[in-house]
């Protein structure tokens, strides 16, 4: 858990979750009461394959400190191969971020199954800490 | 600025204005649920409702003890009527469980169900931020703001209604497929049974007796065959194979090739019951088909009442549960036990040794195993790293139980070889667009929750096509598939979610990426004619241009949005999850 919610800086993380795994995993974290820092805001999509670079870039443009995309594990996508596209697009978007001189580590892709509530909580915790150490987005550029 | 550009700008402006105007008439109602103390214990729900009322377009908001309870639902319905609401946002638990309930509630009150939006402030807020109630409250505010913003952008959607051809085709006329076809035809559906061989019955034709009751296989087949012959709705095509499959749930067009003629079938559902094949164990334990044979060949000998030698060694897991073929073939243990018992019955003093790695005799079959032991069949365990060594007249094996090498003389060696996937499964799976698992058997949608369904709706699988199974399991699965299939073809029409992809034709550049990305084949490229009128008083005549444009087939679209993400020109959008809708969520969070 993050030590204490920093008064000075607490990151904003926009999170895209696929309905069948990521979102379900986040729900499972809730049902099991796994605590994680209140840094994320969730947007539900049906499949991680729906995500496109423009949405992620839009979020950074508007000042989010990090973006996380969670889908089903490879091979488990409810729509067979949507997550493979997501993987490819996140890779591409990271390259674009680099060109924009935004640290690509601010974009994170995770595979979370419907039963991996604990993993979801850990990932959010870890990402939040990572972003805290990176500092707010604005300072970099 | 050219004339055309000017027009474009005006068009955009007009669109914007229209949108603004539409927005004015939008009246959102927000309902915040305490969920007992689940949410209310951490977050101040009435303050949330208060907050929601300040957001643009929100005409009404309130907090409820339990929004999903009868009182909560009634209060939504009354508010819709009294306050003239046309968008509803509920901030409570997870859409994964409660969305259908609220959608139905708003549609009962006369609002299109897709004008409802869910905000999750329990699973993903109050339950996971218990130690930080203030931060949780702020987060809930953000989530509600995002939810309201999206709800303003929601469009009413229609369920998609498609007609159903109330007929079925069963591919494969083995015991599983025969039972499926029989069951469907008895329910009154016209059913087509397609069999590759010249007779029905599949592998059962070559079996002798069936475990565990020693019924004659031929009796069972004859019985089912007579029933099939007597049923009115059932048409059998032997020596026929599937050549092509087109269409989607409720409406498939299938071409089958029977000898040299093509037959067209129109059906609403497809059942795959193609069974499995036998492994011919070339280069395995000196197999020669004479004194070293397969379990299956032994069975044929027994059936033909041939004389069987009396010194027999059987090797289980011959060619299965190894690196190349990692699976257990499920039926070989029982087959070996059965054949050993038949031989013992005929000649009680014959010498039978079964070399095994593990004996799989689940449920009441255990009794069968015990009988074999009692009748004097010898069981010796070997392991994968110390395989038996077969020589001209003897087998050397390391006996795991006593930790010693043993030499077993034989005059008949029997190999229990596994069932393997049919060589043509690949071809069929590609025609049907259904997946195979790594060993090329057909892969069901979910091993426990949807065991005879494919992930593609409207197509089902049963019997050994999916995995090696014995006769009784084949029948059970065949009947299961029949009842699953009947849930489709018992309807004249089917309704599907309206949240699907759509193409803005004028933007499409015809690249076809979306078609290639769609695993459901829901996107097709169609030729469109673009007409250019002749320009008056000039020499330019009227012409037409043929262009490829992508088109979404609504009944096949599952609404994943993969095509939307891939479109390089942004011509596609996924209803209910459009760029604009997701965009306003992002915007309202970060502004
Ligand atoms: S549905 Fe989860 S990644 Fe496609």
């Amino acid at each position: 858990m993050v030590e204490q919610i920093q008064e000075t800086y607490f990151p904003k993380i926009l999170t895209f979750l696929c309905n069948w795994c990521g979102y379900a995993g986040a729900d499972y974290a809730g049902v099991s009461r796994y605590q994680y820092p209140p840094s994320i805001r969730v947007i539900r999509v049906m499949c991680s394959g729906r995500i496109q670079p423009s949405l992620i870039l839009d979020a950074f443009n508007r000042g989010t400190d990090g973006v996380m995309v969670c889908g089903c594990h490879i091979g488990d996508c409810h729509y067979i191969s949507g997550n493979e596209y997501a993987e490819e697009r996140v890779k591409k978007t990271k390259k674009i971020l680099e060109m924009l001189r935004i640290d690509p580590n601010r974009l994170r892709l995770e595979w979370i199954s419907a039963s991996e509530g604990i993993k979801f909580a850990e990932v959010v915790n870890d990402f939040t800490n990572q972003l805290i150490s990176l500092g707010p987005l604005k300072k970099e550029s | 600025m050219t004339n055309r550009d000017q027009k474009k700008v005006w068009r955009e402006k007009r669109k914007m204005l229209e949108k603004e105007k539409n927005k004015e008439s939008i009246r959102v109602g927000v309902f915040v649920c305490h969920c007992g103390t689940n949410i209310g214990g951490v977050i101040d729900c009435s303050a949330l409702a208060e907050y929601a009322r300040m957001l643009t377009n929100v005409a009404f908001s309130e907090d409820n003890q339990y929004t999903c309870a009868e009182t909560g639902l009634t209060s939504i319905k009354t508010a819709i009527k009294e306050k003239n609401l046309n968008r509803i946002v509920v901030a409570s638990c997870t859409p994964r469980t409660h969305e259908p309930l609220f959608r139905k509630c708003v549609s009962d009150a006369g609002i299109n169900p897709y004008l409802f939006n869910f905000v999750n402030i329990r699973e993903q807020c109050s339950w996971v931020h218990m130690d930080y109630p203030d931060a949780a409250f702020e987060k809930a505010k953000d989530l509600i703001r995002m939810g309201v913003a999206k709800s303003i952008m929601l469009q009413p959607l229609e369920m998609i209604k498609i007609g159903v051809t109330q007929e079925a085709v069963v591919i494969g006329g083995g015991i599983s497929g025969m039972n499926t076809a029989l069951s469907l035809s008895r329910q009154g559906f016209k059913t087509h049974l397609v069999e590759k061989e010249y007779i029905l019955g599949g592998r059962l034709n070559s079996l002798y007796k069936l475990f565990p009751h020693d019924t004659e296989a031929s009796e069972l087949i004859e019985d089912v065959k007579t029933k099939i012959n007597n049923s009115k709705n059932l048409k059998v095509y032997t020596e026929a194979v599937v050549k092509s499959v087109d269409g989607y749930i409720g409406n498939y067009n299938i071409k089958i090739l029977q000898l040299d003629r093509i037959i067209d079938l129109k059906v609403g559902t497809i059942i795959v019951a193609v069974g499995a094949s036998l492994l011919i164990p070339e280069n395995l334990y000196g197999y020669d088909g004479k004194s070293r044979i397969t379990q299956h060949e032994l069975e044929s000998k027994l059936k033909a009442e041939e004389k069987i030698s009396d010194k027999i060694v059987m090797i289980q897991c011959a060619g299965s549960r190894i690196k190349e073929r990692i699976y257990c073939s499920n039926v070989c243990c029982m087959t070996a036990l059965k054949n050993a018992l038949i031989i013992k019955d005929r000649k009680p003093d014959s010498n039978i040794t079964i070399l095994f790695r593990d004996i799989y005799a689940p449920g009441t079959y255990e009794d069968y195993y015990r009988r074999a032991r009692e009748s004097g069949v010898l069981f010796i365990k070997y392991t994968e790293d110390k395989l038996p060594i077969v020589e001209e007249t003897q087998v050397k094996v390391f006996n795991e139980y006593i930790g010693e090498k043993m030499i077993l003389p034989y005059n008949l060696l029997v190999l229990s070889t596994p069932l393997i996937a049919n060589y043509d499964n690949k071809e069929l799976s590609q025609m049907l667009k259904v997946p195979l698992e790594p060993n090329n058997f057909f892969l069901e949608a979910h091993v426990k929750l949807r065991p005879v369904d494919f992930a593609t709706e409207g197509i089902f699988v049963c019997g050994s096509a999916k995995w090696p199974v014995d006769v009784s399991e084949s029948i059970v699965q065949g009947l299961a598939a029949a009842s699953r299939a009947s849930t489709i073809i018992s309807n004249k029409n089917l309704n599907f979610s309206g949240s699907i992809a759509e193409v803005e034709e004028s933007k499409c550049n015809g690249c076809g990426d979306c078609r290639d990305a769609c695993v459901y084949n829901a996107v097709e490229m169609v030729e469109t004619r673009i007409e250019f009128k002749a320009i008056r008083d000039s020499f330019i005549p009227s012409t037409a241009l043929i262009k490829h444009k992508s088109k979404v087939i609504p009944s096949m679209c599952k609404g994943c949005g993969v095509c939307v993400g891939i479109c390089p020109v942004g011509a596609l959008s996924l209803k209910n999850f459009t760029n604009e809708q997701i965009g306003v969520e992002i915007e309202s969070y970060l502004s």
Side-chain angles (χ1 to χ4, degrees):
Chain A
M1 200 70 206
V2 179
E3 297 305 283
Q4 80 227 56
I5 300 203
Q6 263 113 334
E7 284 296 308
T8 42
Y9 166 62
F10 193 65
K12 291 179 168 183
I13 307 174
L14 193 82
T15 309
F16 293 103
L17 301 180
C18 88
N19 182 56
W20 306 95
C21 295
Y23 201 91
D27 275 356
Y28 193 74
V31 173
S32 329
R33 309 295 198 277
Y34 297 133
Q35 303 294 302
Y36 54 81
S39 47
I40 61 162
R41 303 290 181 268
V42 171
I43 293 181
R44 180 171 70 117
V45 286
M46 291 316 277
C47 174
S48 63
R50 165 69 184 85
I51 305 304
Q52 59 202 85
S54 62
L55 294 172
I56 300 173
L57 295 176
D58 184 29
F60 279 113
N61 189 26
R62 291 183 186 280
T64 184
D65 299 303
V67 173
M68 183 160 86
V69 178
C70 298
C72 315
H73 287 270
I74 293 291
D76 286 350
C77 170
H78 188 77
Y79 306 100
I80 299 164
S81 54
N83 46 7
E84 290 164 24
Y85 290 99
E87 191 171 27
E88 195 185 302
R89 281 177 214 150
V90 166
K91 261 190 210 144
K92 267 191 209 150
T93 318
K94 278 183 184 257
K95 287 226 178 81
I96 302 176
L97 289 179
E98 243 166 77
M99 292 195 294
L100 296 171
R101 285 205 262 122
I102 295 176
D103 189 335
N105 288 328
R106 289 182 181 275
L107 171 59
R108 184 157 174 168
L109 176 70
E110 287 287 344
W111 304 139
I112 302 221
S113 81
S115 59
E116 288 175 333
I118 187 79
K119 180 174 175 193
F120 184 79
E122 277 163 8
V123 164
V124 176
N125 197 18
D126 185 65
F127 196 31
T128 309
N129 282 330
Q130 192 186 350
L131 288 174
I132 288 177
S133 65
L134 281 177
L137 177 67
K138 297 259 162 47
K139 280 184 194 152
E140 277 169 42
S141 49
Chain B
M1 204 183 268
T2 64
N3 244 343
R4 241 172 95 190
D5 288 340
Q6 185 66 58
K7 268 189 194 161
K8 214 174 169 184
V9 172
W10 285 338
R11 216 182 303 137
E12 294 286 310
K13 243 195 186 149
R14 203 168 49 231
K15 261 193 199 163
M16 285 271 286
L17 282 176
E18 252 168 46
K19 253 184 216 159
E20 290 300 317
K21 234 198 220 151
N22 285 343
K23 260 193 196 169
E24 276 166 30
S25 58
I26 286 174
R27 296 172 60 81
V28 187
V30 181
F31 299 82
V32 183
C33 177
H34 289 249
C35 194
T37 55
N38 282 307
I39 299 167
V42 180
I43 300 170
D44 183 348
C45 292
S46 62
L48 271 184
E50 200 75 39
Y51 169 77
R53 208 162 309 149
M54 287 163 17
L55 299 169
T56 21
N57 291 79
V58 173
F60 177 78
S61 78
E62 69 171 14
D63 52 315
N64 321 95
Q65 253 325 299
Y66 289 101
T67 314
C68 64
E70 203 43 57
T71 46
L73 297 176
T74 329
S75 108
I76 293 179
K77 287 179 198 161
T78 349
I80 290 175
K81 296 248 157 63
E82 284 174 3
K83 309 281 178 208
N84 215 1
L85 305 176
N86 49 23
R87 298 287 188 284
I88 299 298
V89 173
V90 171
S92 63
C93 50
T94 170
R96 287 175 52 84
T97 56
H98 280 60
E99 192 169 63
L101 177 78
F102 290 119
R103 283 223 166 125
K104 176 155 190 307
C105 166
V106 299
S107 112
D108 286 349
I111 294 187
N112 183 290
Y114 290 93
L115 298 180
F116 163 79
N117 196 24
F118 218 121
V119 176
N120 183 344
I121 57 166
R122 189 181 74 178
E123 274 84 348
Q124 297 175 15
C125 193
S126 71
W127 273 353
V128 289
H129 309 313
M130 290 168 154
D131 310 333
Y132 301 106
D134 293 339
F137 180 70
E138 287 306 313
K139 178 173 177 179
K141 268 165 63 185
D142 286 349
L143 293 174
I144 289 180
R145 195 169 66 243
M146 291 159 78
V148 169
K150 181 174 177 183
S151 77
I152 295 170
M153 305 299 288
L154 290 177
Q155 293 293 326
L157 301 180
E158 290 307 319
M159 292 291 269
I160 293 155
K161 192 176 187 182
I162 52 168
V164 174
T165 314
Q166 293 176 294
E167 294 183 24
V169 68
V170 179
I171 307 171
I175 190 66
S176 203
M178 285 159 90
N179 274 287
T180 313
L182 196 57
S183 162
L184 283 168
S185 71
R186 283 179 165 178
Q187 293 177 60
F189 302 115
K190 184 147 198 244
T191 309
H192 309 271
L193 180 57
V194 181
E195 168 57 42
K196 194 155 55 169
E197 301 294 330
Y198 69 99
I199 44 164
L200 290 177
R203 292 200 335 100
L204 212 54
N205 284 320
S206 58
L207 295 189
Y208 174 35
K209 288 191 173 171
L210 304 174
F211 57 79
H213 300 299
D214 292 345
T215 340
E216 300 262 348
S218 51
E219 268 174 39
L220 179 65
I221 307 181
E222 282 321 311
D223 179 44
V224 184
K225 267 196 204 158
T226 347
K227 284 178 188 154
I228 285 181
N229 289 338
N230 293 338
S231 59
K232 269 185 262 121
N233 295 322
L234 185 49
K235 183 138 178 38
V236 178
Y237 307 83
T238 48
E239 290 177 273
V241 287
V242 176
K243 274 286 141 200
S244 73
V245 181
D246 268 326
Y248 45 88
I249 178 169
N251 298 277
Y252 290 103
N253 297 312
I254 299 176
K255 279 194 193 333
I256 58 172
L257 177 69
Q258 189 178 36
L259 294 172
D260 51 4
R261 81 198 162 107
I262 294 272
I263 303 167
D264 285 301
L265 300 179
K266 271 192 189 317
V267 297
T269 183
I270 301 171
I271 295 101
V272 177
V274 292
S277 309
L278 278 166
L279 175 79
I280 307 296
E282 310 284 4
N283 304 325
L284 198 65
Y285 295 121
Y287 167 81
D288 60 5
K290 291 184 213 104
S291 66
R292 292 181 280 265
I293 60 176
T294 64
Q295 200 63 254
H296 188 251
E297 286 161 339
L298 171 65
E299 187 147 352
S300 312
K301 282 183 196 285
L302 291 172
K303 189 174 183 179
E305 310 264 340
E306 272 178 44
K307 209 171 116 37
I308 307 284
S309 32
D310 54 2
K311 244 184 272 159
I312 303 169
V313 173
M314 295 183 180
I315 303 181
Q316 298 303 106
C317 298
S320 63
R321 299 174 71 207
I322 51 172
K323 238 208 227 111
E324 306 91 283
R325 219 169 286 106
I326 188 161
Y327 61 92
C328 161
S329 170
N330 198 349
V331 293
C332 344
C333 283
M334 289 305 294
T335 314
L337 293 177
K338 172 185 75 179
N339 289 343
L341 274 171
I342 292 172
I343 297 171
K344 274 285 191 188
D345 260 358
R346 287 192 192 163
K347 240 166 122 204
D349 60 346
S350 29
N351 228 318
I352 306 176
T353 312
I354 297 183
L355 309 182
F356 70 98
R357 280 171 58 192
D358 296 289
I359 287 285
Y360 177 66
T364 50
Y365 292 171
E366 179 72 15
D367 188 43
Y368 214 63
Y369 169 61
R370 222 165 270 152
R371 258 202 291 160
R373 296 204 80 131
E374 277 159 15
S375 68
V377 177
L378 202 66
F379 288 84
I380 295 177
K381 185 177 167 81
Y382 73 93
T383 53
E384 197 190 353
D385 51 344
K386 289 188 202 108
L387 295 180
I389 297 160
V390 174
E391 289 170 359
E392 208 44 48
T393 53
Q394 61 187 27
V395 180
K396 286 188 185 151
V397 64
F398 184 81
N399 185 329
E400 266 300 301
Y401 287 153
I402 57 173
E404 251 172 55
K405 215 181 227 158
M406 292 179 75
I407 292 175
L408 307 163
Y410 71 89
N411 39 35
L412 185 66
L413 182 80
V414 185
L415 304 176
S416 286
T417 50
L419 288 174
I420 54 172
N422 296 345
Y423 70 94
D424 51 1
N425 277 4
K426 185 114 217 162
E427 205 183 325
L428 184 61
S429 78
Q430 279 165 351
M431 275 190 260
L432 296 169
K433 282 133 211 141
V434 295
L436 298 178
E437 50 82 78
N439 300 297
N440 281 347
F441 289 103
F442 285 91
L443 179 66
E444 71 279 69
H446 190 287
V447 65
K448 286 196 173 71
L449 302 177
R450 295 171 66 196
V452 294
D453 294 23
F454 279 115
T456 312
E457 274 168 275
I459 310 182
F460 302 90
V461 61
C462 58
S464 293
K466 200 175 73 158
W467 207 243
V469 283
D470 62 24
V471 172
S472 44
E473 179 70 23
S474 295
I475 297 174
V476 170
Q477 287 188 16
L479 297 176
S483 72
R484 292 291 297 136
S486 70
T487 62
I488 311 268
I489 50 174
S490 55
N491 301 291
K492 285 212 170 67
N493 295 298
L494 288 173
N495 283 324
F496 289 98
S497 159
S499 171
I500 55 166
E502 82 187 322
V503 185
E504 196 175 322
E505 206 184 84
S506 61
K507 280 192 187 166
C508 175
N509 68 0
C511 70
D513 281 0
C514 47
R515 174 200 49 199
D516 300 342
C518 181
V519 282
Y520 302 102
N521 284 49
V523 187
E524 57 182 1
M525 303 305 291
V526 287
E527 280 185 2
T528 5
R529 232 178 116 86
I530 304 172
E531 306 268 0
F532 292 99
K533 273 207 209 103
I535 297 177
R536 223 187 321 143
D537 300 334
S538 82
F539 295 109
I540 302 171
S542 56
T543 48
L545 206 63
I546 302 289
K547 269 205 143 193
H548 280 89
K549 297 276 181 186
S550 90
K551 201 180 133 211
V552 175
I553 308 162
S555 49
M556 286 169 86
C557 179
K558 296 272 176 295
C560 63
V562 168
C563 57
V564 181
I566 211 161
C567 180
V569 291
L572 280 139
S573 62
L574 178 63
K575 294 182 190 173
N576 229 1
F577 295 93
T578 63
N579 275 353
E580 278 181 324
Q581 288 164 351
I582 298 178
V584 294
E585 280 187 271
I586 299 175
E587 188 189 327
S588 63
Y589 164 40
L590 295 164
S591 59

